[in-house]
Amino acid sequence: MPKRTNYRAAADRSAATPPRPREHARRTTPVRTTLDLTPELHMDLKQWCNATAVQLRMPDVPLAAVLRQLVQLLAVEDIEDQDHEEFRALLAERVRDRIAEQAG
């Protein structure tokens, strides 16, 4: 006589074991971020970029390049140089303080 499957027991067993989390592929395409600035802040940033371009003898310094570097300075923690690590920590602290001040 063929073995009969106990479907209820099988369903109970599968419900008792949670599904395994799926592995997510790491995103490789760039992520676009939009930032709204006040006209005054935008002008200050553009003036800084233009002055930096003159200092570096470059035709221009794009806003996006500046923002990318700022994000890297804030986010990258595996810097070997102690001076850079101290600078990153100080910059991160000042940014946090300003955000808290604006929120509160």
Side-chain angles (χ1 to χ4, degrees):
M1 178 164 195
K3 185 176 179 182
R4 300 185 82 188
T5 303
N6 185 341
Y7 293 106
R8 176 164 289 176
D12 289 344
R13 280 193 306 274
S14 67
T17 57
R20 294 179 61 203
R22 297 168 88 194
E23 296 273 333
H24 292 287
R26 188 173 196 135
R27 185 179 180 140
T28 58
T29 58
V31 177
R32 179 167 293 280
T33 301
T34 303
L35 175 66
D36 294 327
L37 299 174
T38 63
E40 295 80 16
L41 194 54
H42 182 258
M43 185 173 30
D44 291 344
L45 181 56
K46 287 294 287 182
Q47 286 176 344
W48 187 90
C49 289
N50 292 337
T52 301
V54 170
Q55 290 173 348
L56 297 176
R57 297 179 179 251
M58 296 173 63
D60 70 333
V61 172
L63 297 177
V66 173
L67 296 175
R68 279 187 201 99
Q69 292 304 316
L70 287 171
V71 169
Q72 281 194 312
L73 284 172
L74 285 171
V76 176
E77 296 182 14
D78 61 343
I79 299 172
E80 301 277 333
D81 184 355
Q82 184 65 30
D83 289 337
H84 284 160
E85 179 56 32
E86 289 174 11
F87 171 75
R88 187 203 66 75
L90 178 63
L91 180 62
E93 181 181 345
R94 291 190 69 182
V95 169
R96 276 192 301 271
D97 290 348
R98 287 180 175 218
I99 289 171
E101 186 179 290
Q102 286 179 346

